[in-house]
Amino acid sequence: MMNQIIWKKKKQYTPEKLPTQIIVEILSRLPIKTLFHCLLVCKDWFFSISDPYFAKLHLSRSPISLLIKPIYRNHPESTQLRSIDLQCETQLKFSSKINFPILEHQTVTSCNGLLCLSCISNPIYVCNPILGEYITLPISTYDGKQPHRTITAFGFSPLTNQYKVIQFFVYRVFDPINQAKAMIYTIGEGSWRDIGIVPYYLINRSVNSFVNGALHWLTFTQNSPDFIRCFDFGSEQFRVVPEPPECGLPRKNFMGFVRVGVLRDSLSISDFSNPFHWDIWIMKDYGIKESWSKEFVIGNVTGMRGYGDYYETIMILKNGEILMLVNKGVLVLYSPKEGRVEKLNIDGININPAFYGTAHMPSFVSLKDVAKGESLKKLSR
Amino acid sequence: MSSSLEKNMLILRSSDGEEFIVPEVVAVMSKAIKNMVEDECASNTIPVPNVDANILAMVIEFCKKHDESEAEAASDLKTFDSEFVNRGQEALYDLITAANFRDVKELLDALCQNVAEMIKGKSVHHIRIQFLGYQLFEILTSNFIWNIWCDRDFD
């Protein structure tokens, strides 16, 4: 019976005529969960999906997911990461020893679907949790001295197609003048490179501030006119990005309420410092001060929580709603049309009252292509 | 160019011989036709082989709508797109082939998105039946080892 139906279909449709290029076009629009099924459909699809070109295409089309890590260490789920696709509210769970080697109290940073797990005592791992591949970076020590603090950032240089890890070493001595030393590790090169004393170092991490090949952060130093700083992973230079017109030096007192982020693939500044209205700025042409435009003014919102809550904007959904993270634990959706804020309930999130969030795009970017020459390990499933 | 034809109009002839008079701005949404027009190798009638009248009419409808509604709200166009691509599988594949062959990017994007929506969330078995049904025999024989490998749990 089944065979009859199938053979009838053969006469009706002619999908075998579709060229591989079209199949790739179609598959690149699918979410990761369905792609796992597609991998198993036939050999042609498997090889299409395993291709580095597919990984790149898929990445360019996939929406931002939010990767969350519980803050409490003794929680049963503290060694698990969840990646939530906010457009269709599906989630992927990543566990220790299945998706990545070990997860304790490391900081997790993400770029193009690859995760960098780092902390002061363990070695740094770079992994793709989807493919279960990882590499271990050699331990870096600057001058052999124990630094006061280390901060690690992970990024990608689109021009050279290289992934890099930068580690800042902050020593107590340098604190009054705000200086740090840094080392860079290019994935695939196999050793750390010393770049000496750096003009700026990363202080506060935002959920998603990697755009145009550079990682952005804000500085709160009172007298410095530099407000938005960034590290360009391509040129390995530190730069200052011009700030929106109303966010300059006179308003530095309120900087604790201002966030840097990426909205609609552009650098954005969300100003939550005014108790009556919030402003969201988007820099339409990267690096050009005049292109800052005030895209949203959010005022008189019903359902808005009290003043002093820690808000971060994550992304603008397809329907125009703005997704925000409140106090690192609650996801809310703001609808500009209806002018109200609604709490977003996603299965399993309420179990963990507090989490770190970072933007993450699950991808098929393989360390086999990225980290040529490194000793790649694969976790058995 | 023939005198009966208004300026900036082109005639497209489908594989089964039917002719369509189309404004040039609409026709050049197909990159393949655009190249022909720019290279001035197109006479007043442009043959469109591999595409029958039925499918060609649909492609022209799509291009006309996209040309007219440039100033219109993007949401209207989106609704039109989603209704336009909502067709049976057979017409869908013919349209994809036509859009790919004639290089109409907007149409190809809308169609691929539609097929992706059809696959989204489906099981391996379902996708095989729906999209590669004709390969069942092959899957049962030469892909036997492949299937065993595939039984691994990915979720």
Side-chain angles (χ1 to χ4, degrees):
Chain A
M1 185 64 203
M2 194 58 133
N3 276 351
Q4 279 171 1
I5 297 167
I6 304 304
W7 288 115
K8 222 174 149 189
K9 275 188 180 173
K10 186 196 173 180
K11 280 169 197 159
Q12 274 181 354
Y13 310 132
T14 51
E16 77 267 34
K17 275 187 190 161
L18 290 185
T20 317
Q21 160 212 349
I22 297 294
I23 297 285
V24 168
E25 279 286 318
I26 294 167
L27 295 179
S28 67
R29 290 153 205 268
L30 291 169
I32 285 282
K33 265 198 173 172
T34 313
L35 279 176
F36 277 131
H37 295 163
C38 291
L39 271 173
L40 312 179
V41 164
C42 66
K43 278 186 234 174
D44 289 350
W45 285 26
F46 179 87
F47 291 120
S48 297
I49 294 170
S50 311
D51 196 86
Y53 170 75
F54 176 83
K56 221 174 168 181
L57 193 67
H58 179 256
L59 199 62
S60 70
R61 295 206 165 120
S62 50
I64 305 171
S65 289
L66 184 68
L67 187 79
I68 61 170
K69 181 187 180 236
I71 287 176
Y72 300 117
R73 281 177 200 168
N74 296 329
H75 193 278
E77 288 199 22
S78 65
T79 57
Q80 237 179 23
L81 295 173
R82 284 161 190 271
S83 162
I84 301 156
D85 183 339
L86 302 151
Q87 294 277 13
C88 48
E89 292 187 26
T90 53
Q91 50 175 300
L92 300 164
K93 275 185 201 169
F94 301 140
S95 322
S96 207
K97 299 213 169 61
I98 296 172
N99 301 98
F100 38 75
I102 185 168
L103 182 70
E104 285 168 336
H105 38 271
Q106 288 123 318
T107 315
V108 180
T109 41
S110 162
C111 181
N112 288 1
L114 300 179
L115 298 181
C116 173
L117 312 176
S118 60
C119 78
I120 197 158
S121 54
N122 281 351
I124 296 172
Y125 299 105
V126 174
C127 64
N128 184 335
I130 298 282
L131 301 173
E133 301 169 337
Y134 74 96
I135 56 167
T136 313
L137 269 52
I139 290 171
S140 63
T141 40
Y142 199 91
D143 298 348
K145 278 188 284 179
Q146 190 70 19
H148 171 52
R149 230 173 115 200
T150 60
I151 306 138
T152 311
F154 179 51
F156 170 66
S157 158
L159 282 178
T160 55
N161 205 21
Q162 282 173 321
Y163 289 82
K164 290 176 185 176
V165 176
I166 180 167
Q167 195 160 29
F168 298 98
F169 300 87
V170 188
Y171 296 97
R172 238 177 253 282
V173 198
F174 289 118
D175 263 355
I177 44 168
N178 265 325
Q179 266 186 341
K181 292 177 173 182
M183 289 176 101
I184 293 179
Y185 187 94
T186 307
I187 308 289
E189 270 179 14
S191 61
W192 288 91
R193 231 169 341 110
D194 183 3
I195 57 163
I197 293 174
V198 290
Y200 315 122
Y201 64 92
L202 180 66
I203 355 176
N204 51 332
R205 231 177 257 283
S206 94
V207 169
N208 175 21
S209 61
F210 187 83
V211 66
N212 222 30
L215 186 74
H216 299 76
W217 66 92
L218 301 177
T219 35
F220 302 108
T221 321
Q222 279 288 326
N223 302 320
S224 160
D226 311 337
F227 176 45
I228 308 169
R229 293 171 180 183
C230 75
F231 175 70
D232 189 312
F233 280 88
S235 62
E236 298 183 0
Q237 297 289 313
F238 291 86
R239 284 201 313 258
V240 176
V241 180
E243 70 272 359
E246 291 170 28
C247 293
L249 198 55
R251 293 187 35 80
K252 278 245 164 155
N253 288 331
F254 303 100
M255 286 304 106
F257 297 100
V258 180
R259 316 269 174 264
V260 66
V262 177
L263 295 174
R264 288 185 184 144
D265 298 326
S266 305
L267 191 69
S268 80
I269 290 284
S270 307
D271 184 353
F272 296 110
S273 61
N274 193 314
F276 303 108
H277 63 87
W278 300 336
D279 303 333
I280 296 176
W281 296 80
I282 292 179
M283 193 184 221
K284 293 196 166 158
D285 294 313
Y286 184 82
I288 296 166
K289 194 181 168 81
E290 287 70 32
S291 73
W292 276 112
S293 89
K294 205 190 265 186
E295 288 292 295
F296 298 97
V297 177
I298 305 173
N300 280 331
V301 183
T302 46
M304 195 163 90
R305 306 255 303 265
Y307 181 64
D309 282 341
Y310 190 90
Y311 278 84
E312 278 176 281
T313 43
I314 301 170
M315 67 185 290
I316 300 172
L317 302 184
K318 271 185 203 152
N319 59 7
E321 292 182 328
I322 306 170
L323 187 90
M324 293 190 265
L325 182 66
V326 192
N327 295 338
K328 299 218 178 264
V330 183
L331 288 167
V332 294
L333 269 179
Y334 168 74
S335 156
K337 275 181 208 154
E338 294 165 35
R340 62 196 171 96
V341 167
E342 228 173 85
K343 199 176 157 198
L344 189 69
N345 288 313
I346 294 174
D347 289 347
I349 293 217
N350 297 334
I351 304 166
N352 309 308
F355 53 80
Y356 296 114
T358 177
H360 175 66
M361 287 192 264
S363 80
F364 282 95
V365 173
S366 172
L367 285 166
K368 270 183 215 144
D369 307 311
V370 170
K372 280 184 186 126
E374 304 256 356
S375 64
L376 181 78
K377 294 195 184 89
K378 204 157 164 84
L379 293 154
S380 59
R381 285 167 189 263
Chain B
M1 213 161 258
S2 73
S3 55
S4 63
L5 211 60
E6 280 176 55
K7 218 186 155 202
N8 295 330
M9 295 297 258
L10 291 173
I11 299 175
L12 303 181
R13 194 197 293 135
S14 68
S15 62
D16 44 0
E18 214 168 301
E19 294 191 342
F20 295 84
I21 301 171
V22 186
E24 194 181 307
V25 276
V26 174
V28 296
M29 279 179 79
S30 150
K31 266 210 197 112
I33 294 178
K34 191 178 177 205
N35 289 342
M36 285 172 83
V37 172
E38 278 173 0
D39 297 347
E40 291 178 350
C41 61
S43 55
N44 55 348
T45 313
I46 300 177
V48 189
N50 299 13
V51 183
D52 64 24
N54 195 7
I55 298 295
L56 187 59
M58 288 185 203
V59 177
I60 291 170
E61 183 199 345
F62 181 90
C63 291
K64 268 191 179 150
K65 181 80 185 176
H66 271 248
D67 180 56
E68 282 164 12
S69 55
E70 229 164 279
E72 269 182 45
S75 61
D76 281 2
L77 204 60
K78 261 197 180 145
T79 335
F80 168 79
D81 280 4
S82 61
E83 277 167 17
F84 182 84
V85 295
N86 196 6
R87 291 168 196 276
Q89 222 167 344
E90 200 180 351
L92 207 55
Y93 286 132
D94 285 344
L95 271 173
I96 290 180
T97 316
N100 183 44
F101 185 63
R102 294 282 107 193
D103 206 350
V104 190
K105 200 182 167 297
E106 290 90 343
L107 180 58
L108 197 60
D109 278 349
L111 291 165
C112 288
Q113 188 62 44
N114 189 46
V115 180
E117 297 294 332
M118 284 159 71
I119 301 179
K120 211 178 261 182
K122 298 272 164 66
S123 67
V124 179
H125 182 67
H126 199 111
I127 298 171
R128 279 180 185 168
I129 299 275
Q130 195 172 1
F131 294 91
L132 302 164
Y134 66 99
Q135 275 191 356
L136 187 70
F137 184 69
E138 195 193 328
I139 287 166
L140 285 176
T141 54
S142 71
N143 278 9
F144 183 64
I145 295 162
W146 184 251
N147 272 355
I148 295 172
W149 187 85
C150 293
D151 279 342
R152 305 187 312 167
D153 190 11
F154 271 86
D155 284 325

